[in-house]
Amino acid sequence: CRHTLSGEDLNYSKSIALRKKLLSINPFANIQAFYSSIPLNSKFTNEKEAIKKSDLLLECTTDDFAFEWLNKFVSTKNKRLISMFFNFHTDILTLLVSGTNISCIDIFNYLKMAVKNGDTKIDSNEYFNYPSKYEQIIEGIGCWHATFPGLYMHINLLVSAALDIINDHVDNEKGLAVII
């Protein structure tokens, strides 16, 4: 949900607007967009077939249920999954890449335990901080709202760093967890 769409994209579904933007950057890319929500039920056969045909899926929903569903779905199909998400102020990005023998959820569980145990340089209070109602301005606010405190430049910097790491690691069969 933390993307670089603008106000001119308000009348389009997010997936279709992002497809249009990505194709403007690379017109030779093979990108499909669907107007559907995860988890996919039995009526979404086109979406499920597209996932089955994909080699790699990128999940940036920040929705735990969607992440769990995608993780389970791709694990049963021997697909790789990348998950990326920011904290509320977009000063921390978590990047997870499944391996051939380890799922994104397993990697994330190991990472959370390492942060909680102090095995990383990341402060666990900062990493697991959930914004107060006062910070959210509107309770449950997402980054799609104008009052979301993350800045576009921070999102770009973190995503650029993550994409560089993904490009270097994507062919590696081992899983990966990175906090930027």
Side-chain angles (χ1 to χ4, degrees):
C1 67
R2 293 180 172 106
H3 50 71
T4 59
L5 296 177
S6 67
E8 68 185 23
D9 300 303
L10 284 175
N11 293 326
Y12 300 97
S13 80
K14 197 182 306 180
S15 60
I16 292 167
L18 281 169
R19 178 186 183 272
K20 179 181 170 191
K21 180 167 183 135
L22 292 170
L23 287 173
S24 75
I25 295 167
N26 181 356
F28 303 107
N30 181 6
I31 301 169
Q32 292 181 342
F34 297 98
Y35 188 76
S36 51
S37 297
I38 302 245
L40 299 172
N41 62 32
S42 59
K43 73 177 185 176
F44 294 105
T45 56
N46 290 339
E47 289 88 335
K48 286 183 179 180
E49 285 304 312
I51 292 172
K52 287 178 188 177
K53 291 178 183 175
S54 299
D55 296 322
L56 181 69
L57 285 100
L58 177 61
E59 183 275 332
C60 302
T61 64
T62 68
D63 180 289
D64 291 341
F65 193 60
F67 173 55
E68 291 169 10
W69 186 89
L70 274 171
N71 184 76
K72 183 177 179 182
F73 188 84
V74 299
S75 294
T76 62
K77 309 292 184 234
N78 294 321
K79 304 290 182 185
R80 303 277 305 275
L81 179 63
I82 296 173
S83 180
M84 293 181 2
F85 55 90
F86 298 100
N87 67 338
F88 187 64
H89 293 282
T90 63
D91 51 8
I92 298 174
L93 178 139
T94 301
L95 168 64
L96 309 165
V97 182
S98 67
T100 53
N101 295 316
I102 187 165
S103 72
C104 267
I105 285 183
D106 290 339
I107 290 169
F108 186 45
N109 288 335
Y110 290 129
L111 177 65
K112 287 190 298 188
M113 189 60 66
V115 171
K116 283 181 184 176
N117 292 339
D119 298 333
T120 70
K121 293 183 179 183
I122 300 296
D123 178 82
S124 64
N125 291 325
E126 183 180 1
Y127 189 75
F128 295 108
N129 180 45
Y130 188 79
S132 68
K133 286 184 180 184
Y134 174 77
E135 286 179 292
Q136 293 182 46
I137 302 169
I138 299 172
E139 189 176 353
I141 194 85
C143 61
W144 52 269
H145 196 276
T147 60
F148 177 72
L151 299 177
Y152 178 78
M153 66 181 171
H154 295 155
I155 293 171
N156 269 347
L157 288 169
L158 289 170
V159 169
S160 293
L163 289 175
D164 194 43
I165 293 167
I166 290 168
N167 283 333
D168 287 343
H169 186 81
V170 75
D171 292 329
N172 190 325
E173 293 183 1
K174 294 181 181 179
L176 176 70
V178 177
I179 299 173
I180 303 170

